[in-house]
Amino acid sequence: MEDKAQIQEAIKVQGEVVRKLKSEKASKEQIDEEVAKLLELKARLGGDDGKHQFVLKTAKGTRDYNPKQMAIREKVFNTIVSCFKRHGAETIDTPVFELKETLTGKYGEDSKLIYDLKDQGGELLSLRYDLTVPFARYLAMNKISNIKRYHIAKVYRRDNPAMTRGRYREFYQCDFDIAGQYDGMIPDAECLKIVHEILSELDLGDFRIKVNDRRILDGMFAVCGVPDDKFRTICSTVDKLDKMPWEDVKKEMVNEKGLSEEAADQIGEYVSMQGGMDLAERLLQDPKMSQSKLATAGLSDIKLLFSYLQLFQVTDKVVFDLSLARGLDYYTGIIYEAVLTQAGVAPVANEAQNGANSEESVSVGSVAGGGRYDGLVGMFDPKGRKVPCVGVSIGIERIFSIMEQKAEASAEKVRTTEVQVMVASAQKNLLEERLRLVTELWNADIKAEVMYKKNPKLLSQLQHCEESGIPLVAILGEQELKDGVVKLRVVATREEIDISRADLISEIRRRTSEA
Amino acid sequence: MEDKAQIQEAIKVQGEVVRKLKSEKASKEQIDEEVAKLLELKARLGGDDGKHQFVLKTAKGTRDYNPKQMAIREKVFNTIVSCFKRHGAETIDTPVFELKETLTGKYGEDSKLIYDLKDQGGELLSLRYDLTVPFARYLAMNKISNIKRYHIAKVYRRDNPAMTRGRYREFYQCDFDIAGQYDGMIPDAECLKIVHEILSELDLGDFRIKVNDRRILDGMFAVCGVPDDKFRTICSTVDKLDKMPWEDVKKEMVNEKGLSEEAADQIGEYVSMQGGMDLAERLLQDPKMSQSKLATAGLSDIKLLFSYLQLFQVTDKVVFDLSLARGLDYYTGIIYEAVLTQAGVAPVANEAQNGANSEESVSVGSVAGGGRYDGLVGMFDPKGRKVPCVGVSIGIERIFSIMEQKAEASAEKVRTTEVQVMVASAQKNLLEERLRLVTELWNADIKAEVMYKKNPKLLSQLQHCEESGIPLVAILGEQELKDGVVKLRVVATREEIDISRADLISEIRRRTSEA
């Protein structure tokens, strides 16, 4: 047992922290986090009755979604899934845990963030860390050599959660991938078309899609004199360019990674370049770059890519950017990342909001990223057969946060149900008549509600409609029953008209289909 | 290291098992299970190159969903969610894992089936075992005293998986619950209305919804002379009546549970009773039953319930059945269970298919179950505040299996995409024109595909349409381009007509909206 006095002291201190945050009107999340700590301490102290000592909270770094958040989530998912379906994608699902060895050796240093299950006898299991490795395992296991699929599911990382910045240990990923041996750059271009469509439809403000190629990066490192064994580490330094000024990046290269100043300066010149197809053409003529076969292969593909992007009508947002590096080891060709450029919508304070992409060099406002990975499936195939893949991951958690902020700021209330009509009565003893009418409506596929009270007050029935945005009320009374009508009330305008029972359903349909 | 010779011998034996199953045309699942064992053995032996020794499989008791299974799953979910929304339900989501202590003491003996996470420092966590306990935790934590919500998510049980019978360790639950203090039996009746609607719409064949009440069971035990401390154990014996004849149930009561023969016989008389409101009325007059306050309270509620069910027009399928017991401890009032009555659709071999209800006394063909649990939320509230709840869980895994069997048996192919039109060409060098046209279609929200080849053969483009059920092909050729038209081909009839580019989108919409 711990020392009670010590815990009591800690509770006192933690109580002060909470009070201070409250007086400073800190964010709800921040207060909740500190309150949770306080409750944990109190639980350790134990109670008198020994009955309710447990801590009433979700696991660290996780959260419940309330109905309002779910309504926003559903809207975002619908937009994204519609786009995937428009492009002919199928969907698959995989278990939330995999054999531990399936994940081993795929995430480098980040492997320490994997959640393991307790050994309760039997196989050693881990929670999935992303959707890409399970996808590659699925392809190899089922010997599938081509598929266009999307997968939306939660993944798990024992990261240091920064929930106040919207970063969680359990979060959604939303992946679209095209596997198969095809003619160059056509599926790659379609991935960018999809990002363009989704970000446009979600109306998140202006955005840019940065494009580069791993082979161009590697070729560039080679011609700038970076030793082969330093490609990866220098690449991950370049990756910091969206968060650090060039001077600091250069310092890291020279002082920490031991690169020559001259090589660093040459890299610095290249990574400042941005453009379109013209830049790829210019670099193909560049005396140094043109010496690298890797770089010229990558540059030719960028040219081809842009020609398809023109046909797809998305070049307005796409920029060839030599500073884009991306962290993941498994990329082998084209890489890309979409960033929001309107600071207003994506405040810097929420910089790391996209838990979904924590390993993927999230820059300020990054909302999607991906690239080509032609070697991953081969790692799972017993005969090492390769299945070329290209894909994109939509940074859905960050998009949720932005949509939530927008909903918060908007005057319009987020509806959490789709109820079209409330069946109400002004008088007593009409429960049976209400139930009869609501049954008629349900049977006609009208979304309808009735209060679970024998004699509810009309006011409380109307209030419920106001609160949950129900547009119509069907009011029953002795007179209406005698006349064979229902009083239909429009909540917004308070207009009331008598409708015959026979016409009620078509009238409700007419009035709610306009919305 | 294990003895190589020993493993090699085991591999030989296991190889025989697999060959035998294949020659006997055993089910795919059965063969897969044995092949997995074989692969595990081979992995233990190790390979020569030491490269690909891992086992390529999903964790024991889990499975991937392929696109066809996902298409069926989506259809079933849509039907169910539409029904929940028609009744005005909101939805929430909770994390896949909870603090271990949140689950402690909620599942009795079955607690041993809970998956724990490894202690990697920090909180002790477990995977959720159902959706009801997280729901109760959510209500208590957020001090919510009324809500109508649904929750569809996966739950986890380290059960002995019988995958050949469709029973898994990871499976979906699909719950609808009404929490709040309301007038008696109105929300309870709505739950039954919902079960009736869903099972009717899914078209699974005829069904019955059995209804009983925990208080009637307890009252019955009391008046039959069962000692108080034997209520629960006798109740779980009664629960076996759908799988065992009365003689065996009686034997268990008398021989194993030590009940007097006389008491058992009296119970036997009651549990053979089935009926409707009339039976409840009769039992209220029953000289013995009427002595128990618990039983009369339950019987009065059954009467009230049936009066609402009449208004909801669902009494055709509902039967008051005194043998219905259900396993879970937390029920406090009405309980119910829906069973399919057409043996053809739900073969006995699949008896335990509904993993979702493994603890809930699944009878042959059980596809939904639930009841009233007025005490669970109070277990989480620091002040023990109660929130009355009633809910229903749809046995979605079993329904998937039935739908899959139906799809298998049907001549109609399950489509895994919704693509309306394939943009194709008969001649070479038309990739750019195809990409231009498919962009037009995508931008007009038409679901369209194009092959990722520079010069695909027309035949292979048409074959792809046949295989994936795409109804239309938009064919481009030099002549069509010159004439400003597209040849629109109807895949089913092979009919081809020239449509002007200006009319193409409306023509595709017209033709695909009919379907």
Side-chain angles (χ1 to χ4, degrees), chain A residues 97 123, chain B residues 29 33-34 37 57-63 113 115 157-171 352-353 355 358:
Chain A
F97 43 68
E123 300 162 335
Chain B
E29 288 80 9
E33 237 177 290
E34 297 303 328
K37 283 183 202 157
K57 67 184 285 291
T58 60
K60 184 178 177 186
T62 69
R63 59 169 165 173
L113 303 181
Y115 276 98
R157 299 183 186 177
R158 290 183 63 256
D159 222 329
N160 201 20
M163 295 195 293
T164 49
R165 290 182 296 149
R167 194 164 169 161
Y168 292 90
R169 289 180 160 196
E170 175 188 59
F171 57 90
Q353 208 131 20
S358 65

Side-chain angles (χ1 to χ4, degrees), chain A residues 40 52 54-60 62-67 70 73-74 85-88 90-97 99 101 114-118 120-121 123 125 127 137-138 140-141 148 154 156 158 170 178 181-183 186 190 193 197 308 311-313 378-382 416-419 431-432 435-436 439 442-443 445-449 452-454, chain B residues 52 54-60 62-67 70 73-74 85-88 90-97 99 101 114-118 120-121 123 125 127 137-138 140-141 148 154 156 158 170 172 178 181-183 186 190 193 197 308 311-313 378-382 416-419 431-432 435-436 439 442-443 445-449 452-454:
Chain A
E40 257 182 66
H52 293 291
F54 54 80
V55 186
L56 202 55
K57 67 184 283 292
T58 61
K60 184 179 178 187
T62 69
R63 59 169 165 174
D64 298 317
Y65 284 80
N66 65 33
M70 289 298 280
R73 184 171 122 178
E74 189 177 327
K85 287 187 174 178
R86 188 160 58 235
H87 287 262
E90 306 176 300
T91 187
I92 67 162
D93 197 14
T94 63
V96 81
F97 43 68
L99 298 187
E101 58 184 353
I114 293 174
Y115 276 98
D116 291 329
L117 269 72
K118 190 169 154 185
Q120 294 171 289
E123 300 162 335
L125 306 172
L127 297 186
R137 192 264 307 145
Y138 175 82
M141 186 172 137
K148 179 159 56 178
K154 287 175 178 175
Y156 299 88
R158 289 183 63 256
E170 174 187 59
I178 301 172
Q181 187 69 58
Y182 298 117
D183 283 330
I186 314 176
E190 190 172 8
K193 170 75 173 159
E197 284 181 18
Y308 296 146
L311 297 168
F312 285 158
Q313 302 171 13
M379 289 175 70
F380 287 103
D381 191 279
T416 58
T417 77
E418 298 173 11
V419 175
L431 172 63
E432 296 203 353
L435 295 184
R436 204 169 270 138
T439 302
W442 285 333
N443 290 353
D445 201 17
I446 303 271
K447 298 181 188 102
E449 260 192 319
Y452 303 128
K453 297 264 178 193
K454 278 185 193 157
Chain B
H52 293 291
F54 54 78
V55 186
L56 203 54
K57 67 184 285 291
T58 60
K60 184 178 177 186
T62 69
R63 59 169 165 173
D64 298 316
Y65 284 80
N66 64 34
M70 289 297 280
R73 186 171 120 174
E74 188 177 327
K85 285 187 175 177
R86 188 160 56 237
H87 286 262
E90 307 176 300
T91 187
I92 66 161
D93 196 14
T94 63
V96 81
F97 43 67
L99 298 187
E101 60 184 352
I114 294 174
Y115 276 98
D116 291 329
L117 269 72
K118 191 168 152 184
Q120 294 171 289
E123 300 162 335
L125 306 172
L127 296 186
R137 191 264 307 145
Y138 174 83
M141 185 172 137
K148 179 159 56 176
K154 287 176 178 173
Y156 299 86
R158 290 183 63 256
E170 175 188 59
Y172 268 98
I178 301 172
Q181 186 70 57
Y182 299 117
D183 282 330
I186 314 175
E190 189 173 9
K193 170 75 173 158
E197 284 181 20
Y308 296 145
L311 297 168
F312 285 158
Q313 302 172 14
M379 289 175 70
F380 286 103
D381 191 280
T416 58
T417 76
E418 298 172 12
V419 176
L431 172 62
E432 296 204 354
L435 295 185
R436 204 167 271 138
T439 301
W442 285 334
N443 291 353
D445 201 17
I446 304 272
K447 297 179 188 105
E449 260 193 317
Y452 303 128
K453 298 262 178 195
K454 278 185 192 156

Side-chain angles (χ1 to χ4, degrees), chain A residues 350-453:
Chain A
N350 285 334
E351 180 252 313
Q353 208 130 20
N354 184 9
N357 279 347
S358 65
E359 93 292 14
E360 295 162 6
S361 70
V362 184
S363 71
V364 179
S366 167
V367 284
R372 177 163 283 283
Y373 51 101
D374 289 347
L376 191 61
V377 179
M379 289 175 70
F380 287 103
D381 191 279
K383 290 178 182 151
R385 268 175 303 225
K386 285 190 176 180
V387 178
C389 293
V390 63
V392 62
S393 186
I394 308 294
I396 192 87
E397 296 286 344
R398 184 177 179 79
I399 291 171
F400 287 154
S401 299
I402 296 171
M403 300 300 266
E404 271 186 77
Q405 286 170 36
K406 278 174 84 170
E408 226 36 74
S410 149
E412 218 178 311
K413 246 175 108 172
V414 177
R415 284 199 66 182
T416 58
T417 77
E418 298 173 11
V419 175
Q420 297 162 298
V421 57
M422 170 92 187
V423 174
S425 63
Q427 293 145 352
K428 289 200 169 185
N429 302 319
L430 290 173
L431 172 63
E432 296 203 353
E433 291 300 337
R434 282 189 290 129
L435 295 184
R436 204 169 270 138
L437 179 56
V438 80
T439 302
E440 257 180 62
L441 299 179
W442 285 333
N443 290 353
D445 201 17
I446 303 271
K447 298 181 188 102
E449 260 192 319
V450 69
M451 285 204 118
Y452 303 128
K453 297 264 178 193

